[in-house]
Amino acid sequence: MTTHKTAWFGDRAVVIDVASPLDRELVATIVMRALPEAVVRRGISSLMVELPRPDINLVADVRRVLASVDESREASEPSEAPAADATISIDVAYDGPDLLPTATFFGISDTELVQAHTSQRWRVAMMGFAPGFGYLEPIEAPFLPWSSLPRRTTPRATVPPGSVALAAGMSAIYPTPSPGGWHLIGTSRRILFDPHNDSRPTLLIPGASVRFAAINHEPTP
């Protein structure tokens, strides 16, 4: 049984510590179902449950839901938490300036790096850094030791929008021009942030799964 630590965050939010990505997704799913009026915000190792107005019963309500999470885990023993949406497919031209150096870091060819990146199924762990920027973590066992790849020693002053990147165990797509220290391995034309779309301004949402598909990739001679 997992014991989740909870703590107030202001007067209308509670932070929950989680043990793993799978635990985070299971807790988030059950809390959202049990407390539909709350907004659940994901972090890497925590969740924040926020209400629109102060409620002195929030901690008690959250702890009651967490007890049901443990019961659900024991009853079903899920191998994978449900995703928040259908799998999002993203076409990528693997033409990034860091493709070959990144492949060299892993001791493989650039073609093998592309194959690993597209074979891996990714999940949106959380949103942040810029509107539409999703931090993508591997869902199953990593095809490569992604977490061994550090960020660049010297960040770039400007990363072009649509850049597909890797760093510190995660992948990402830059939605807009911005500074960045991740390794750029490709380019996508998908629109990640549309401020004029009131119903869903971001393509990626926390909990959704993502698959990358290679287009127009030629091995480096």
Side-chain angles (χ1 to χ4, degrees):
M1 177 179 292
T2 301
T3 300
H4 296 93
K5 181 181 177 181
T6 59
W8 279 106
F9 192 86
D11 60 359
R12 59 188 178 95
V14 170
V15 173
I16 307 169
D17 290 343
V18 294
S20 66
L22 178 59
D23 185 42
R24 181 191 66 229
E25 295 306 312
L26 179 63
V27 171
T29 299
I30 294 180
V31 169
M32 286 188 292
R33 290 173 182 169
L35 303 174
E37 73 281 9
V39 175
V40 177
R41 306 185 189 279
R42 287 169 169 83
I44 293 298
S45 58
S46 64
L47 295 166
M48 186 172 74
V49 183
E50 181 182 354
L51 292 177
R53 62 191 63 84
D55 185 346
I56 62 173
N57 298 314
L58 181 57
V59 164
D61 290 340
V62 167
R63 288 173 179 169
R64 171 179 53 79
V65 174
L66 292 175
S68 72
V69 171
D70 291 330
E71 293 172 2
S72 174
R73 193 194 316 275
E74 292 176 355
S76 60
E77 296 184 354
S79 59
E80 181 178 310
D85 205 348
T87 298
I88 299 169
S89 180
I90 297 179
D91 290 342
V92 179
Y94 283 91
D95 55 3
D98 299 326
L99 179 66
L100 187 55
T102 301
T104 301
F105 174 87
F106 288 119
I108 57 178
S109 69
D110 57 345
T111 301
E112 290 172 320
L113 175 58
V114 171
Q115 183 177 11
H117 192 248
T118 54
S119 298
Q120 187 76 63
R121 193 157 62 104
W122 304 84
R123 175 172 51 223
V124 184
M126 64 179 185
M127 305 296 292
F129 176 65
F133 188 99
Y135 290 83
L136 310 180
E137 62 188 2
I139 294 180
E140 296 95 1
F143 278 74
L144 287 175
W146 307 112
S147 60
S148 66
L149 178 69
R151 288 175 172 80
R152 287 171 51 89
T153 303
T154 303
R156 290 181 170 90
T158 303
V159 173
S163 295
V164 178
L166 287 168
M170 292 190 167
S171 190
I173 311 105
Y174 284 80
T176 53
S178 65
W182 294 37
H183 303 271
L184 309 183
I185 63 172
T187 308
S188 175
R189 294 185 178 180
R190 293 296 298 272
I191 302 300
L192 298 174
F193 176 62
D194 180 2
H196 304 294
N197 187 336
D198 294 332
S199 60
R200 182 167 169 172
T202 62
L203 173 67
L204 304 180
I205 58 174
S209 60
V210 174
R211 292 296 292 263
F212 293 100
I215 56 173
N216 300 329
H217 173 69
E218 295 294 337
T220 301

